[in-house]
Amino acid sequence: MQPSQSKNTIVSSFIHSGLVLFYNELKRNLIPFLLPLPAFVILLIVNLLSPGSKIIAGTNGTWAYISIGILLAMTYGLQCFSQDADKKTLDFIITRPISLYLIILVKYLTSIGIFLIWSFLIRNQIQLNLSELPLPNGMGEEWILLTFLTIHAISLFSGLLVKGLERFFAIIILTGSMTYLCYQFWVKLFDLLMANYFWYDIPPYQMNFVIKVFPIFLALLALITPLVATLWQLKNRIPLQHFTAGKTIIGIWLSIYLLILMAQYLFSPPLWPDGTFKSGDWHDQAGIVTASTVDPSYEDRIVLYNEQVKFKLNLTQLGQKPKVLYQGYNLYHPSISPNGKMIAFTEDNILKVMNIKTKEVIEIYNPKSKNNLIDSITTKQPQRSILYKPNFAIWGEDSKHLIYVDFLNDNGLSNLYLFHTQKGLLKKINKEPLTVGDLVWDSCENALYIIGNDHDNAITYLNTNSLKQKTYPMPSKIRPSTIFSLTGPCVIDHRTEKILLVMKYLDTIRIYSFDIHNKEFDLVEQYVDERIKPNIPILLNNNLTAFIFPRLDGSFQYKATKFYIDKNHTHDHDNDHDHDHDHDHDHDHDH
């Protein structure tokens, strides 16, 4: 026999076997296949009596169409193999000299073909109203059709997996799992896009890929997966290492997951955009905590005195989506404890501490309480103006003590109080009110450094035990003013024993140092960027290696500090020195 004749014989046999299987499927499932006929006839007659217009389904009618479509897809998918599985004739079918691929193909295409024919005929008789349904943006009829196809494929697999009414339970579980998996992949990519752009700035080609192309790809993959699982079931669940189709589909899912993870690590911004960011803190181990208003209208608005504004505290790691820790009114100055386990913040000037792990919030001090201990030891407070001036607190090195700043007026005139997170108020620190712009506390040395503002251009040293104090005026070139403001945070660098002062001048961030021993000021670093948002503090990590500043468009910019650059430069230089020394012992180095 010639090779061409042999090939024609194989093709003829394949077509003949397929037609026989197709005829048997139609004959055996004729009644289920004709179930939609009465509904179609009724719709057709109604439309013929009212020519020129379709039946308007309305919201309830649209839900009915979707529900009936889902039930029909489940029925047609289940009947492919469920009868054979229940009557125990499945082994006979799959042992016949017919390819398993052909059996699955004919059963699947027959049932899905009949389903699509009925869907097309009935859809042409009615007008759906998808706009009234609570569907995600961009979800149209094509998504409803893909949902039908996916449910049909999962039902086909469920007909082999379990028996009886358990099949409907299996369909619900498998469909929900597949939907959840696809949604998690899609939302990770969508969040990454939204983290890098505002909605109106997203390039059209990227939006089209995320809204249309990628979801359709996931839907087709979700459609193919149960068909491959059906083939695996019919092959008596052979080991996956010997099942090429199974390895391929698993490899595709894993590849998508790994590609999304890589995209997140490579292209995620340091901090998710937040136009209403007001204050925050950065701890390398615990993460970044931010306080921002819930109402987006406060992006460029100032909170007024006695105004109750809803805030939220977010916690995140670099490059990850933030999670809401707490919501309340007038939340300001969140500060992470040195051990990274707690966050101190003020809510409407009430000092509170939150355990990051348990989310438990403890009220440390409430100035509005009837048992207010501070009122009994402080002087009468001057009247505040219309602007809101939030109190704040800073941590001691032991993560147990806090110094609470109680502002008396908008000029920064304040009283300072020492609190213990468990014991409450310990004592008042200052004798007379001090002008406070920011604080730096070296609790191990009982040294408190009070950085003034544009009303008091000085740094005041205060011993928290003896209450002795000494003032060091700031040089005129770095004095805070209305346009050159102390935005913070101010911190102490224990390695160099210098206090770092962060200031902003329009589009410039300047970091000055104050030598604790020599009492000298010096410019450490300057960074210029026209996108810097004024009057908002930057985020400086506890290791002083990097800072993040808010930009005018609501996003954030990451910048390594001079300390980190100098440290790495020195390290690399030392390595080069050692390398040269090892290879040239006779060469003298002059550094």
Side-chain angles (χ1 to χ4, degrees), residues 13 62 153 168 347:
S13 175
T62 303
F168 291 97
E347 179 176 4

Side-chain angles (χ1 to χ4, degrees), residues 161-443:
L161 190 64
V162 291
K163 295 183 179 181
L165 294 177
E166 293 179 359
R167 288 170 178 148
F168 291 97
F169 180 74
I171 292 171
I172 294 172
I173 297 298
L174 292 175
T175 303
S177 302
M178 194 69 67
T179 302
Y180 178 78
L181 181 63
C182 291
Y183 175 76
Q184 288 299 316
F185 283 177
W186 177 82
V187 80
K188 287 181 183 298
L189 196 61
F190 182 77
D191 285 343
L192 181 61
L193 188 66
M194 295 302 295
N196 285 280
Y197 299 97
F198 283 98
W199 183 268
Y200 44 80
D201 290 329
I202 299 177
Y205 69 94
Q206 292 187 11
M207 178 64 77
N208 182 67
F209 177 81
V210 172
I211 298 298
K212 294 290 185 182
V213 177
F214 189 59
I216 290 176
F217 171 75
L218 290 177
L220 293 176
L221 194 59
L223 172 64
I224 296 172
T225 300
L227 297 179
V228 174
T230 301
L231 180 61
W232 177 65
Q233 184 78 10
L234 291 175
K235 285 180 174 286
N236 295 321
R237 302 182 182 182
I238 62 174
L240 285 176
Q241 62 266 28
H242 302 306
F243 185 43
T244 304
K247 291 189 294 184
T248 302
I249 204 72
I250 293 174
I252 293 174
W253 282 110
L254 288 177
S255 299
I256 295 172
Y257 177 68
L258 292 176
L259 285 173
I260 291 176
L261 284 183
M262 289 176 60
Q264 286 182 313
Y265 280 112
L266 292 175
F267 303 114
S268 289
L271 199 60
W272 248 242
D274 186 356
T276 62
F277 167 79
K278 301 300 181 184
S279 58
D281 193 20
W282 181 4
H283 189 282
D284 273 342
Q285 286 71 44
I288 302 173
V289 60
T290 60
S292 56
T293 62
V294 175
D295 186 353
S297 67
Y298 279 88
E299 180 173 351
D300 299 313
R301 289 173 57 189
I302 298 175
V303 179
L304 303 179
Y305 185 62
N306 287 333
E307 186 178 12
Q308 294 291 303
V309 180
K310 190 71 172 293
F311 274 70
K312 60 182 177 181
L313 291 183
N314 295 322
L315 183 66
T316 184
Q317 296 290 341
L318 278 177
Q320 296 184 15
K321 189 176 181 180
K323 297 179 180 179
V324 178
L325 284 181
Y326 183 80
Q327 292 196 38
Y329 290 92
N330 298 353
L331 305 179
Y332 278 96
H333 299 298
S335 176
I336 302 176
S337 60
N339 63 12
K341 296 181 179 180
M342 293 178 288
I343 299 173
F345 61 96
T346 59
E347 179 176 4
D348 200 20
N349 284 335
I350 301 172
L351 178 59
K352 295 185 176 182
V353 170
M354 170 185 285
N355 185 301
I356 295 177
K357 185 177 181 180
T358 64
K359 307 299 187 295
E360 180 186 4
V361 177
I362 302 173
E363 184 177 294
I364 305 298
Y365 166 66
N366 185 353
K368 301 176 183 178
S369 173
K370 294 181 180 180
N371 299 321
N372 186 352
L373 297 178
I374 287 182
D375 283 346
S376 63
I377 58 176
T378 187
T379 57
K380 183 178 180 180
Q381 297 186 8
Q383 184 67 31
R384 290 193 178 186
S385 69
I386 195 172
L387 298 180
Y388 185 79
K389 185 76 172 179
N391 298 342
F392 70 95
I394 61 171
W395 286 98
E397 292 297 324
D398 61 358
S399 298
K400 295 179 181 179
H401 290 82
L402 290 159
I403 289 182
Y404 176 75
V405 180
D406 183 25
F407 286 110
L408 303 179
N409 59 24
D410 294 321
N411 293 333
L413 198 63
S414 313
N415 284 324
L416 309 177
Y417 302 92
L418 181 64
F419 282 89
H420 190 282
T421 55
Q422 301 297 328
K423 301 176 183 178
L425 177 65
L426 298 181
K427 65 179 179 179
K428 181 183 177 183
I429 295 177
N430 59 309
K431 296 178 180 179
E432 298 293 333
L434 298 169
T435 302
V436 177
D438 205 345
L439 295 180
V440 175
W441 185 18
D442 186 356
S443 59

